[in-house]
Amino acid sequence: MVSKMGVLKFLSRNMTSFVAQASRDNAILTLARHQSVLSSKLVYSEYGDPPKVVRQEKEELRKPAEHEVMIRMLASPVNPADINTIQGVYAVKPKLPSIPGNEGVGEILDVGNGVTDLKVGDRVVPKLNAWGTWRTHAVCNADELMKISDKIGIVEAATLTVNPCTAYRMLKDFVPLSEGDSVIQNGANSAAGQNVIQLCKAWGIKSVNIVRNRSDIDELKKFLTELGATYVLTEEELRTTDLFKKGVLVRPKLALNCVGGKNALEVMRHLESGGVMVTYGGMSREPVTVPTSALIFKDITVRGYWMTRWSNENANSPERSRMFEELTNLIIERKLNPPKHTLIGFERYKEALSNAMSTKGFVGMKYIFDFQI
Amino acid sequence: MVSKMGVLKFLSRNMTSFVAQASRDNAILTLARHQSVLSSKLVYSEYGDPPKVVRQEKEELRKPAEHEVMIRMLASPVNPADINTIQGVYAVKPKLPSIPGNEGVGEILDVGNGVTDLKVGDRVVPKLNAWGTWRTHAVCNADELMKISDKIGIVEAATLTVNPCTAYRMLKDFVPLSEGDSVIQNGANSAAGQNVIQLCKAWGIKSVNIVRNRSDIDELKKFLTELGATYVLTEEELRTTDLFKKGVLVRPKLALNCVGGKNALEVMRHLESGGVMVTYGGMSREPVTVPTSALIFKDITVRGYWMTRWSNENANSPERSRMFEELTNLIIERKLNPPKHTLIGFERYKEALSNAMSTKGFVGMKYIFDFQI
């Protein structure tokens, strides 16, 4: 016999929505009979080790006021930035006490009389950073949320706003790329890196993907190649490659860096004159080193990208809607797949927080709170 | 008694042109009677130590063909890039044998029948890099040269296309700057740095100028302040300054770097979020190191500037004419002054080449060939 949880898990992975729709409709009807809802939320009042400082609290939510909505969360991932924020080592330091969680998908349960652009049953994601997605229900202003398609699964929806958007913007906003151009990236097995590979494949851009050597390197190369990578090279292979010298590939105009240090320097060396390196992470904990000659004579530009800033600056921009539409379509066409993940019940949050930072397997394992379990 | 040479020197320094004009007219009339001119030029056939590999040669020049002009050089400086080019260590490696010299001013002696935009007596500078200014006379296509004002002295004209243009473009092309904005630069006593100071002063931009500590630091500070520097700090003073913390000065949007290494990093730290650091030199011979957090969270952009590339890409651009007009006007208004220099006869080229790279005084001493001595 298949349990309800099992069905929901299956559905979330398979992006089919008809059964889930029926299940949601029931929940909405049930709720509509009540005047208030008891929300369960995670909270922390001091920075520190996440499983220690984060606690669970209950809160009775009132009905939404005129321009407010009530939502129930469906799923929300535990991202590295969430952990770093709780640790107090991230660039964003929310006012404490704070509800953690930056990414996630919810469903509108109730709307105030003045709300016109959202209706009961709509799938939504928060527009702003640090909105606090780790709670079962919330009442907030309608303009804090953005409607997204319900044609994609909840895992895809819950992990849409960080990594796919990061990859999308880095490929769109720094260098004009056309079909046949190439892009080089390190940390290609990162969550954003996997999205870069898939978007490049979808857009006809060749991707050169650099990963660290490891015991299961062949398996990793196979995985990334199947995802759409044009080439996958270890750092050592990159040092001696003649891919560019032999003219097999045009030199990349864009390099994406989430490692830093020597690795970033090696990647930079292969850029075309006038090329741009965009840094969005620093896994090696070493800075980016740029030879003076690369700046002056090769006209290399070194920049950074932070999804949080873009999102906050583009909360209501048409470009944001365009991006979500394009990403959603790619997900529906199965050209963009969700990360490897483990769905976990909200009550088991300590387990999720403890394990989120440990690397499991060559592409990591994302813990996603499934509020329906 | 004042010699003719003395008069010419005086004139070149004092930007007065009436006596020089009469002198030039005589020379032109004298030449017009001849069909050919004997040019003396410097040449090198192998890279190496400049005084050793550079020799002087004579060449008889024919009359200019239809679209050609004949010019005589008036003055040409010995720049560090010239020395590095001859040494074979510069990014530009001319085909050998080559006539060195990238900067200088000449005067049109004769024009071909098809030349319409230049006439006898016009002051000109080469449009392209590696044109070879270290020769007394040349015949070349008219479109290799650009007419400049004869209202500025020959030293100002001979040193116009590298350092003043570098400073101008770096202040114009990377960040939009308005009156009251601030700019920070290291190596502020460099030739380009002195131009940056003067242009900032002329445009109402505050300049924060970083120099190395030295025995005559007070004298250097006084010199740069008189040139127009808003603040002059040593590297050590920069580390502990509260200029920006106290709100005395808005944080700079633009940093100009010709040093690299730790110094560049210190300078970068003071940039406003979203600011740009432009590297145009690397005197410390250390690369530019950029913290990952500065790229991601402070949105710092690191770029490079190379005057040679701009000039080659803008040989005939209207922007180039606009720049020369503006710089010329500033020179006429005495808001932009030529570098400290020594005029030296062309026959004494070995002395000039030997001494050009040695630093004399806190702002260096530029050797300028005066072809009229």
Side-chain angles (χ1 to χ4, degrees):
Chain A
M1 208 186 112
V2 180
S3 71
K4 187 184 165 192
M5 281 180 285
V7 170
L8 283 171
K9 268 190 187 176
F10 172 85
L11 290 172
S12 79
R13 285 182 183 140
N14 290 274
M15 295 173 290
T16 319
S17 61
F18 61 98
V19 180
Q21 185 64 47
S23 164
R24 282 204 311 276
D25 290 349
N26 281 340
I28 291 160
L29 288 170
T30 308
L31 181 104
R33 275 179 245 131
H34 294 81
Q35 285 301 309
S36 68
V37 163
L38 198 64
S39 172
S40 172
K41 62 183 180 185
L42 299 188
V43 182
Y44 64 111
S45 301
E46 56 177 327
Y47 299 118
D49 184 28
K52 287 182 188 150
V53 297
V54 172
R55 62 186 189 275
Q56 199 163 27
E57 284 185 0
K58 303 282 177 188
E59 182 186 9
E60 196 170 306
L61 298 181
R62 53 178 170 69
K63 264 186 85 72
E66 193 179 3
H67 296 288
E68 289 182 335
V69 295
M70 177 181 284
I71 74 166
R72 63 166 180 154
M73 292 305 297
L74 300 172
S76 174
V78 179
N79 286 321
D82 297 321
I83 299 293
N84 291 335
T85 303
I86 299 166
Q87 291 168 331
V89 298
Y90 197 60
V92 174
K93 299 210 168 28
K95 209 179 138 188
L96 301 183
S98 170
I99 302 171
N102 288 297
E103 200 180 23
V105 62
E107 181 184 67
I108 302 287
L109 284 188
D110 197 2
V111 299
N113 293 330
V115 175
T116 53
D117 52 350
L118 291 176
K119 60 179 197 303
V120 172
D122 279 351
R123 289 268 181 91
V124 289
V125 294
K127 284 179 187 171
L128 294 179
N129 183 61
W131 182 85
T133 52
W134 294 356
R135 45 182 161 176
T136 60
H137 301 80
V139 169
C140 68
N141 276 323
D143 63 7
E144 292 173 23
L145 303 171
M146 181 170 138
K147 184 179 171 176
I148 62 157
S149 169
D150 60 4
K151 290 185 186 139
I152 62 173
I154 66 157
V155 167
E156 289 79 356
T159 56
L160 183 61
T161 56
V162 175
N163 289 310
C165 291
T166 299
Y168 184 99
R169 296 255 63 94
M170 292 196 301
L171 291 171
K172 289 270 189 190
D173 292 349
F174 293 89
V175 169
L177 293 171
S178 314
E179 227 176 295
D181 281 339
S182 76
V183 166
I184 189 167
Q185 67 166 341
N186 59 24
N189 50 334
S190 71
Q194 292 177 57
N195 280 285
V196 166
I197 289 172
Q198 296 175 83
L199 289 179
C200 282
K201 173 77 175 177
W203 294 337
I205 295 162
K206 288 164 183 164
S207 64
V208 182
N209 300 280
I210 314 306
V211 292
R212 253 180 303 181
N213 201 2
R214 60 194 77 211
S215 57
D216 53 358
I217 182 69
D218 291 338
E219 214 183 325
L220 173 54
K221 283 189 174 187
K222 186 166 175 281
F223 175 82
L224 295 180
T225 304
E226 282 173 3
L227 213 53
T230 319
Y231 296 95
V232 185
L233 305 174
T234 63
E235 294 177 14
E236 294 71 29
E237 287 167 345
L238 176 65
R239 239 163 263 146
T240 54
T241 185
D242 50 10
L243 263 185
F244 306 108
K245 285 177 203 153
K246 278 195 175 166
V248 178
L249 208 60
V250 291
R251 282 197 177 274
K253 294 175 180 174
L254 179 67
L256 304 177
N257 165 46
C258 65
V259 178
K262 274 184 197 167
N263 183 303
L265 183 60
E266 281 298 328
V267 165
M268 196 188 301
R269 281 191 209 287
H270 295 284
L271 273 176
E272 176 69 293
S273 285
V276 179
M277 168 169 270
V278 179
T279 290
Y280 67 100
M283 290 194 293
S284 73
R285 297 183 181 271
E286 282 167 18
V288 176
T289 300
V290 199
T292 300
S293 60
L295 292 168
I296 301 179
F297 304 124
K298 271 194 80 179
D299 196 21
I300 299 300
T301 295
V302 176
R303 298 194 57 183
Y305 182 74
W306 191 24
M307 192 64 224
T308 298
R309 183 174 43 245
W310 194 93
S311 298
N312 288 347
E313 287 172 358
N314 288 274
N316 299 304
S317 77
E319 180 54 30
R320 185 161 171 155
S321 306
R322 262 196 300 276
M323 170 174 69
F324 275 92
E325 196 185 328
E326 192 170 355
L327 290 173
T328 302
N329 287 337
L330 288 171
I331 292 170
I332 293 169
E333 294 165 21
R334 292 177 186 258
K335 291 180 177 169
L336 198 58
N337 298 292
K340 294 212 174 203
H341 58 274
T342 299
L343 290 172
I344 190 164
F346 195 43
E347 299 299 323
R348 287 165 62 197
Y349 71 92
K350 280 186 196 288
E351 189 184 331
L353 294 178
S354 300
N355 295 337
M357 297 296 271
S358 66
T359 47
K360 272 190 192 169
F362 48 68
V363 289
M365 176 63 73
K366 197 165 284 292
Y367 282 83
I368 300 179
F369 291 127
D370 181 344
F371 296 94
Q372 299 172 106
I373 296 183
Chain B
M1 207 187 109
V2 179
S3 70
K4 187 185 163 190
M5 280 181 286
V7 170
L8 285 170
K9 268 189 183 173
F10 173 85
L11 290 173
S12 77
R13 285 180 183 142
N14 288 273
M15 294 173 291
T16 319
S17 61
F18 61 99
V19 181
Q21 187 63 48
S23 163
R24 284 204 309 276
D25 290 349
N26 281 341
I28 292 159
L29 288 171
T30 310
L31 181 105
R33 275 178 244 130
H34 295 82
Q35 286 300 308
S36 67
V37 163
L38 197 65
S39 172
S40 173
K41 62 184 180 184
L42 298 188
V43 181
Y44 64 110
S45 301
E46 55 177 329
Y47 298 119
D49 184 28
K52 286 183 189 148
V53 297
V54 172
R55 63 184 188 276
Q56 200 164 26
E57 284 186 0
K58 304 283 178 187
E59 183 186 7
E60 195 170 306
L61 298 180
R62 52 179 170 68
K63 265 186 85 71
E66 192 177 2
H67 296 287
E68 289 181 335
V69 295
M70 177 182 284
I71 75 166
R72 64 164 181 154
M73 293 304 296
L74 300 171
S76 173
V78 179
N79 286 321
D82 297 321
I83 299 293
N84 291 334
T85 303
I86 299 167
Q87 289 168 331
V89 298
Y90 197 60
V92 174
K93 298 212 171 23
K95 209 180 140 189
L96 302 183
S98 171
I99 302 172
N102 287 298
E103 200 180 22
V105 61
E107 181 184 67
I108 302 288
L109 284 189
D110 197 1
V111 299
N113 292 329
V115 175
T116 53
D117 52 350
L118 291 176
K119 61 179 193 307
V120 172
D122 280 352
R123 289 268 180 92
V124 289
V125 295
K127 285 180 188 170
L128 294 177
N129 184 60
W131 181 84
T133 52
W134 295 357
R135 45 183 160 175
T136 60
H137 300 80
V139 169
C140 69
N141 277 324
D143 64 8
E144 293 173 22
L145 303 172
M146 182 171 138
K147 185 180 168 174
I148 62 157
S149 169
D150 61 3
K151 291 185 186 139
I152 62 173
I154 66 159
V155 167
E156 288 80 355
T159 56
L160 183 62
T161 56
V162 175
N163 290 309
C165 292
T166 298
Y168 184 100
R169 295 254 64 94
M170 292 196 301
L171 291 171
K172 289 271 188 187
D173 292 350
F174 293 89
V175 169
L177 293 171
S178 314
E179 229 176 291
D181 281 338
S182 75
V183 166
I184 189 167
Q185 67 166 342
N186 57 24
N189 50 334
S190 71
Q194 291 177 57
N195 280 286
V196 166
I197 289 172
Q198 295 175 85
L199 289 180
C200 282
K201 172 78 176 177
W203 295 338
I205 296 162
K206 287 165 183 163
S207 64
V208 182
N209 301 280
I210 314 305
V211 293
R212 252 179 303 180
N213 200 3
R214 61 195 77 212
S215 57
D216 53 359
I217 183 69
D218 291 338
E219 214 183 325
L220 174 54
K221 283 190 174 186
K222 186 165 176 281
F223 175 82
L224 296 180
T225 304
E226 283 173 2
L227 213 54
T230 319
Y231 295 95
V232 185
L233 305 173
T234 63
E235 294 178 13
E236 294 71 31
E237 287 167 347
L238 177 65
R239 238 163 264 146
T240 54
T241 186
D242 50 11
L243 262 185
F244 306 107
K245 284 177 203 152
K246 279 197 175 165
V248 178
L249 208 61
V250 291
R251 280 198 179 273
K253 295 176 179 173
L254 179 66
L256 304 177
N257 165 45
C258 65
V259 177
K262 274 183 195 167
N263 181 303
L265 183 60
E266 282 297 330
V267 165
M268 197 187 300
R269 280 191 209 288
H270 295 284
L271 272 177
E272 176 67 295
S273 284
V276 179
M277 168 169 269
V278 179
T279 290
Y280 68 99
M283 291 195 292
S284 73
R285 296 183 181 272
E286 282 168 17
V288 176
T289 300
V290 199
T292 299
S293 59
L295 292 169
I296 300 179
F297 304 124
K298 270 194 78 180
D299 195 22
I300 299 300
T301 296
V302 176
R303 298 194 58 184
Y305 182 74
W306 191 24
M307 192 64 223
T308 297
R309 184 174 42 246
W310 194 92
S311 298
N312 289 346
E313 287 173 357
N314 289 273
N316 300 302
S317 77
E319 180 54 30
R320 185 162 171 156
S321 305
R322 263 197 298 278
M323 169 174 68
F324 275 93
E325 197 185 328
E326 192 169 356
L327 290 173
T328 302
N329 287 337
L330 289 171
I331 292 170
I332 293 170
E333 295 166 20
R334 292 177 185 258
K335 291 180 178 168
L336 198 58
N337 299 292
K340 295 213 175 202
H341 58 274
T342 299
L343 290 172
I344 190 165
F346 194 43
E347 298 300 322
R348 287 165 63 196
Y349 71 93
K350 279 185 196 288
E351 189 184 331
L353 295 178
S354 301
N355 294 337
M357 297 295 273
S358 67
T359 46
K360 273 189 193 169
F362 48 66
V363 289
M365 176 62 74
K366 198 165 281 293
Y367 282 82
I368 300 179
F369 290 127
D370 180 345
F371 297 94
Q372 298 171 106
I373 296 182

